Amino acid sequence: MLDVVACGELLIDFTPMPHPEPGKMAYEQNPGGAVANVLAALSRFHKKTAFLGAVGNDAFGRFLKQTLMDLEIGTDGLVLTDAALTTLAFVHIDASGERSFSFARNPGADTQLREADIDEEMIAQARLFHFGSLSLTHEPARSATWKAVDIAKRHKLLVSFDPNIRESLWPDMEQAKAMALHGIRQADIVKLSEEELELLAPASGLAEATEWLMETCRHQAIFVTRGKAGCYFRTEKEQGMVPGYAVDAVDTTGAGDAFLGGLLYQVLEAKQPLRSMDNDTLTRMVRFANAAGALTTTRTGAIPALPALADVERFVAENRI
Ligand code: ATP
């Protein structure tokens, strides 16, 4: 039995490092990719997970496979392809710790997952399926992802989606929006950033835009992350704003994924479905997720910065809001 199977991207993040010589840049090689990061966060919270995706049959790909194995994330569904090189993302961090990306992906191995690589039996034995939009930008990974989503829904798994839109990876933004909205419609749990909500919803304002999303889909819950300001949540009967934690952020890479890992951990631990939870329960869950996100910003890289379960629990206990 697995807790979570996720389909999507696993890649290398090159994170900027201080260089001793003025004017020169240094980069540290870190494992990353939003969907893989979410599994890594869940694995640090002792959940049993497996990954479906492709990396290149090269030194980076082998490093990434080893990383998943070290985290005890199942790699039976990880393809090492000869069709393309492992996808690389260069991270740029500004003075406030906010980051942007330049991708080397033309095509990248993460787009090369095929429908035939999707293992129905693996998905069927999990409780929750997670996916994002990077595997929807190009074929054949797009069809492979939709196949995995269909299997998950047929086997009645909870489905979670994070659009995680990276504009430079899409041929045009209309396609990005259409694909993200289609992904949102398939999911029970949607996590998106405030900027993505503004991009996707015709209504403005958190309450109006999330109401529009709730009406268009079969969601149990929507979570809108707002950086250090925290997260707004909405279910059919509840909504609320949970403030973030004040920390010294050095690199926000992976904060959204750590947040989602924390949230899905809480969903898996809960005794009732999200749609029937009261406001206090939802607030407690989001507080835990906010703490996981905040702690991740205090170290560089995504996967190496993910906190352990005991660290998040201690942080929440010591920092009452
Ligand atoms: P991504 O685009 O990487 O998926 P995101 O935009 O969804 O990320 P953020 O909103 O940046 O994610 O962060 C997710 C959560 O992490 C926030 O809701 C917040 O709880 C926490 N967080 C992020 N940045 C900070 C920060 N600078 N200080 C404290 N907490 C933060």
Side-chain angles (χ1 to χ4, degrees), residues 99 164 166 191 193 225-228 230 245 247 249 256 290 293-294:
R99 68 271 130 318
N164 208 24
R166 299 281 176 255
K191 175 250 156 211
S193 68
T225 51
R226 310 180 65 215
K228 64 182 170 205
Y245 290 95
V247 290
N290 277 344

